Amino acid sequence: MSPLTAALATTHEALYPRLDMLLRQVEAIAARKPEGDVPAETLATAEALLFDTRRFAGRGTGRDLAPAPDSFGALATVLGQALARLAAFETAHSVWSGPHNGFVWRLPRGELRPVARLRPHTALPVHAGDDRETARMRAEIVRRIAAKYDEGFDAGRKAAAASLSTPPSPGMSGG
């Protein structure tokens, strides 16, 4: 694998989502028509991305990716191989870091930098003032729901009492 630098990590983080997105689109089309011809624009994009992934291969491996094929099925295969190459590079150059609460790139001189693509998305901290306001709003909502329930219960009880005290109309007899 190529030695990791901060610039290479940045390139990887920019390349991975673009390649992944193109692969998903090509796979969706390939599922319907694997032998279909790939449009020239898509082919050009694929070739540029495939060219950029070459730097993430091991030196002397002789395992360059095939050129971008012109059918959707074959292109999906080649793009999948390129994405696997990026994943292998990431695995070889990153580790879990407890203090960072996520995976980090192992840069030269022991420097650690979070892998942005894998960075956990955490909730925003709640402030004490927000807790009091939230509790007040919650109590108001509960009070309003209870009041509506009581109104409905009383209205139902009155309607039931009224129906019991009212004699049946002449047309209502079951006879």
Side-chain angles (χ1 to χ4, degrees), residues 23-120:
L23 174 60
R24 288 174 195 256
Q25 292 171 351
V26 168
E27 284 177 331
I29 297 169
R32 293 189 309 273
K33 51 179 186 174
E35 299 301 322
D37 291 335
V38 178
E41 300 82 18
T42 304
L43 202 54
T45 300
E47 286 175 347
L49 292 174
L50 290 171
F51 180 81
D52 289 345
T53 63
R54 289 180 44 202
R55 65 186 348 176
F56 296 97
R59 298 226 187 267
T61 60
R63 297 184 61 167
D64 281 337
L65 294 169
D70 57 1
S71 73
F72 280 105
L75 182 58
T77 301
V78 172
L79 291 175
Q81 292 170 343
L83 195 63
R85 175 180 282 179
L86 291 179
F89 181 86
E90 185 177 287
T91 301
H93 292 92
S94 65
V95 295
W96 176 262
S97 169
H100 290 90
N101 193 27
F103 285 92
V104 294
W105 293 110
R106 291 180 297 160
L107 295 170
R109 296 183 298 274
E111 182 185 349
L112 300 176
R113 183 172 120 190
V115 178
R117 183 179 79 75
L118 302 175
R119 184 175 296 159

Side-chain angles (χ1 to χ4, degrees), residues 166-175:
T166 306
S169 61
M172 296 291 286
S173 60

Side-chain angles (χ1 to χ4, degrees), residues 14 17 21 75 158:
M21 182 69 69
L75 182 58
K158 288 178 185 174

Side-chain angles (χ1 to χ4, degrees), residues 135-172:
R136 186 192 67 73
M137 290 173 63
R138 184 175 293 118
E140 178 63 19
I141 290 170
V142 169
R143 185 192 67 74
R144 289 181 184 188
I145 290 171
K148 288 291 184 183
Y149 175 83
D150 290 342
E151 283 177 30
F153 184 81
D154 290 342
R157 190 177 60 205
K158 288 178 185 174
S163 69
L164 291 176
S165 64
T166 306
S169 61
M172 296 291 286

